[in-house]
Structures are given as structure tokens and as C-alpha cells.
Amino acid sequence: MATHPKVVRSVPSLRRTLELYRKAGERIALVPTMGALHRGHLALVRDARRRARRVVVSIFVNPTQFAPHEDFASYPRNFATDLKTLRESKVDLVWAPSVEAMYPDGFATRVAPEGAAKAGLEDEYRPHFFGGVATVVAKLFTQVSPDFALFGQKDYQQLRVVTQMAKDFDLPLKVVGVPTVRESDGLALSSRNVYLSTAERAVAPMLFRVLKGCASRIKNGEKIQHVLNVGRIEIDVAGFALDYLEARHAITLAPIATPKDGPVRLLVAAKLGKTRLIDNIAV
């Protein structure tokens, strides 16, 4: 009996395996990850399993989306544990390329997304980020050619960017956004949560509480700008260094002044100690 999941590390080997699935008429769902898997990733795998006969999980810490001062070298990696987790989740295939396989010598083409990628949110603080994400995701989409690709809504701007890219490039796949998985106190699951100290971990759920409070006050008719200003002060007082707290159009991520310009998405990013946390919710 084959041991699952099968791990492949080269494009030819990946294509050979996928060809067998396609010949059998099986649909394929892709869950792109950077490893350090948690319950949020497993929610993506479960959703993938409901949609397709075959589930492919990619594990690749993508160097092109990290700036030189960011945590590429220290980003949590634990391939053996990830593999065990994926075996228990009955994943069929793990695509785990090396940096050399993904970006061989002479690699010279990059995707430069605009639209949601230039919304003045994450792009303002990580200007290199979406070019790196769009390039690697474009590669994953063409390597795997899935019917479905699943992304968490926690990285909401990223979800909008890859959805638009798939649409703009006429890629024959459906990008699915899966709701954020949270701890019991509301903190959005993230591989970077391991960086939080015990004291910081106790404060971290405040971000979600502020988002919920803002959403409910906007729903009750309070002016968006006033609500955001109060929310920013609350985040500041709790001890975060706030990057942004914004209300945006849920599809285009353009700024909006009133709920009737909506649908409305609230997005936040803030640092707690050395750890940068992001979150978002629909209004």
C-alpha cells in the first residue's frame, strides 16, 4: 500500500503524479502553505477534501516575499511534523520544492500585481510582498493546474490579489477563501504566533475584540471614520504599535466612507513586541 502523502520535489515528478489523477478523471484541490502547519491550514485541507478527490499541499517558504530585514531565516519550519499532520489529514500529495527548483539559475520573470496589491495596506509596510506572493502563486497554479486553490481569509489582501490574478490570467481554477480559524479567545491562528511571549499572548486577542466592536458600531450607524479613530486609540492603549486599522470595499479594497459604498471589510495590522499580527472581519 502506498504511503500517503507522496512527497515530490521536482516539477517533472509532480507532473507525472498529477497526470495519473487527471487520467482517472479526478478533480484536484491545491492548498499552498509555507509549512509550520496549524489548525487554520487543516481547515483549508478539509475544505479542499470536500471539493476534490485529490488534495495537493505545497510547502515552500518563499524567499521572494520576505524583505532582507524580515524573518525568512527564522520563519518556523518543521517538515517532519507537517508531514505527519498531513498524513493524518489524508492528503494525497505534498509538493515540497527547494528554492533551486522553484527559482533555478537564470530565473528572470516576475508578476507585478496592481489593484488590490496597491491598496495602501500590507503593500505600504511590505512593498516587496505581493510581487513575491503573486510570482510564487502563479508558479504553483501553473505547476499543479488545480481545479480549486484554497487560501485563508486571515491574509485577506493576499486572497484578493491571487483571486484577481487567476481571473486576469484566465486560469481555469476557482480560488476559494476559507474563514479564519481562531483560538478560543479570538486570536487568529498564525505560524508567527509562536513568537509571542506569554504576556504578549494575553494581550494579542485585543485586536479581534476591537475589530468586532468597530464592526458592530458601524452596523449600528456610527460614522466609519469616527469608529476607526476610536479603534486606533484602543489598539494603541493596549500596547500595540499600530500599522493600520482601515475600512475597505471587500472586493476592490478601495477606501470607503459609508457602509452603502460596501460590502465593508475591516482590516488591521499591528506589532506586539517583535511580532506583527494581522486580522480582518466583514461588517
Side-chain angles (χ1 to χ4, degrees):
M1 190 176 144
T3 53
H4 278 86
K6 180 176 181 178
V7 179
V8 294
R9 296 185 181 276
S10 74
V11 173
S13 171
L14 173 70
R15 293 231 159 106
R16 277 196 299 274
T17 307
L18 294 171
E19 195 51 38
L20 298 173
Y21 299 162
R22 286 205 186 87
K23 277 193 175 136
E26 295 169 335
R27 296 215 284 185
I28 297 165
L30 169 68
V31 178
T33 83
M34 295 209 299
L37 303 180
H38 50 62
R39 285 184 294 120
H41 297 109
L42 299 185
L44 301 180
V45 169
R46 280 195 303 277
D47 198 308
R49 171 69 61 225
R50 282 197 293 272
R51 292 168 190 273
R53 171 73 182 83
R54 298 292 182 176
V55 176
V56 179
V57 173
S58 63
I59 296 180
F60 180 66
V61 183
N62 176 36
T64 66
Q65 69 193 59
F66 291 81
H69 66 278
E70 289 183 332
D71 58 345
F72 176 70
S74 65
Y75 191 86
R77 294 166 172 84
N78 196 336
F79 192 73
T81 309
D82 288 346
L83 211 52
K84 182 171 176 291
T85 302
L86 294 175
R87 190 170 299 128
E88 288 160 4
S89 300
K90 299 186 166 53
V91 163
D92 298 282
L93 187 63
V94 174
W95 169 222
S98 64
V99 173
E100 294 68 33
M102 204 50 124
Y103 300 113
D105 271 356
F107 182 86
T109 306
R110 303 203 181 264
V111 178
E114 296 192 352
K118 297 279 180 76
L121 297 163
E122 286 301 283
D123 51 296
E124 194 77 24
Y125 294 87
R126 307 180 72 194
H128 55 284
F129 179 69
F130 289 116
V133 166
T135 300
V136 80
V137 171
K139 291 207 70 166
L140 290 169
F141 285 177
T142 51
Q143 289 161 345
V144 177
S145 301
D147 299 281
F148 302 96
L150 293 97
F151 291 82
Q153 288 180 1
K154 184 180 79 76
D155 299 287
Y156 192 80
Q157 190 177 4
Q158 171 180 284
L159 171 63
R160 294 309 319 147
V161 170
V162 297
T163 302
Q164 188 67 42
M165 180 183 71
K167 182 173 177 246
D168 290 348
F169 286 171
D170 304 311
L171 299 179
L173 63 97
K174 180 174 170 57
V175 175
V176 179
V178 178
T180 303
V181 178
R182 301 181 179 278
E183 301 286 7
S184 57
D185 57 11
L187 177 65
L189 291 190
S190 164
S191 303
R192 288 186 169 98
N193 289 352
V194 298
Y195 299 156
L196 293 166
S197 70
T198 310
E200 288 162 354
R201 176 62 189 81
V203 175
M206 183 68 185
L207 270 193
F208 181 55
R209 287 203 290 276
V210 170
L211 281 178
K212 279 201 307 188
C214 289
S216 110
R217 286 159 54 199
I218 290 167
K219 263 198 297 223
N220 289 336
E222 289 188 44
K223 285 203 161 51
I224 286 180
Q225 216 39 61
H226 171 69
V227 170
L228 293 179
N229 286 337
V230 173
R232 289 168 187 143
I233 291 164
E234 289 173 339
I235 290 168
D236 205 37
V237 168
F240 292 86
L242 180 67
D243 283 349
Y244 59 80
L245 169 63
E246 295 287 342
R248 295 300 181 91
H249 187 284
I251 305 302
T252 64
L253 296 188
I256 56 176
T258 74
K260 57 176 192 290
D261 303 335
V264 184
R265 198 92 192 176
L266 296 178
L267 302 102
V268 68
K271 265 193 160 157
L272 197 52
K274 293 199 168 88
T275 311
R276 191 166 180 276
L277 302 172
I278 65 171
D279 205 347
N280 68 86
I281 60 171
V283 174

